Amino acid sequence: MADPDCLFCKIVEGEVPAEIVRQGERTVAFRDINPQAPTHVLVIPRDHHPDAASAAAHDSGLLDALVRDAHEVAVAEGVDETGYRLVFNTGAGAGQTVFHLHAHVLGGRGLNWPPG
Ligand code: AMP
Ligand code: ZN
């Protein structure tokens, strides 16, 4: 299900390097190249889906695995107790720039609300 033109598919395949922090059965987690917080990890499905809504529509259970794995990343990073933010930007107007579903796991500092 890999898209040959997709950057994050290439990271899953090992064709583009990334600082991988967790390899799950259904997901891969790696550090964001432009971190916005002391912990900023992206958790992505191995399969290509453009966004969370598309994954929910086509692969029942995938988002459960993604959220579980994102929480395991937060535990491993030591931000589960202080709190972390899980973000799915959906659509260019909301800041999505890579159209392969990814959960941002952000933590390690105070996080303002509402987000900018
Ligand atoms: P979004 O703007 O929600 O689509 O998030 C895409 C994220 O991917 C941004 O936070 C980028 O900094 C990050 N990013 C882009 N290219 C890479 C890369 N090669 N390795 C790690 N993170 C990346
Ligand atoms: Zn992809």
Side-chain angles (χ1 to χ4, degrees), residues 1-3 6-10 47-49 99-101:
M1 241 195 262
D3 176 341
C6 172
L7 172 64
F8 285 0
C9 283
K10 289 178 183 164
D47 291 341
H48 181 89
H49 296 279
F99 289 84
H100 178 129
L101 168 61

Side-chain angles (χ1 to χ4, degrees), residues 31-84:
R31 297 201 188 280
D32 196 292
I33 204 166
N34 182 24
Q36 302 301 312
T39 291
H40 189 173
V41 173
L42 302 177
V43 187
I44 72 172
R46 292 182 180 279
D47 291 341
H48 181 89
H49 296 279
D51 56 38
S54 173
H58 296 106
D59 191 341
S60 172
L62 177 58
L63 286 174
D64 307 41
L66 196 74
V67 171
R68 268 197 304 272
D69 292 353
H71 184 70
E72 286 197 12
V73 167
V75 170
E77 294 283 315
V79 298
D80 57 314
E81 290 191 0
T82 47
Y84 64 93

Side-chain angles (χ1 to χ4, degrees), residues 5-39:
D5 297 323
C6 172
L7 172 64
F8 285 0
C9 283
K10 289 178 183 164
I11 288 178
V12 170
E13 300 293 334
E15 290 169 17
V16 167
E19 192 181 339
I20 291 176
V21 297
R22 188 177 188 282
Q23 295 266 14
E25 190 184 323
R26 304 205 65 192
T27 69
V28 176
F30 52 94
R31 297 201 188 280
D32 196 292
I33 204 166
N34 182 24
Q36 302 301 312
T39 291

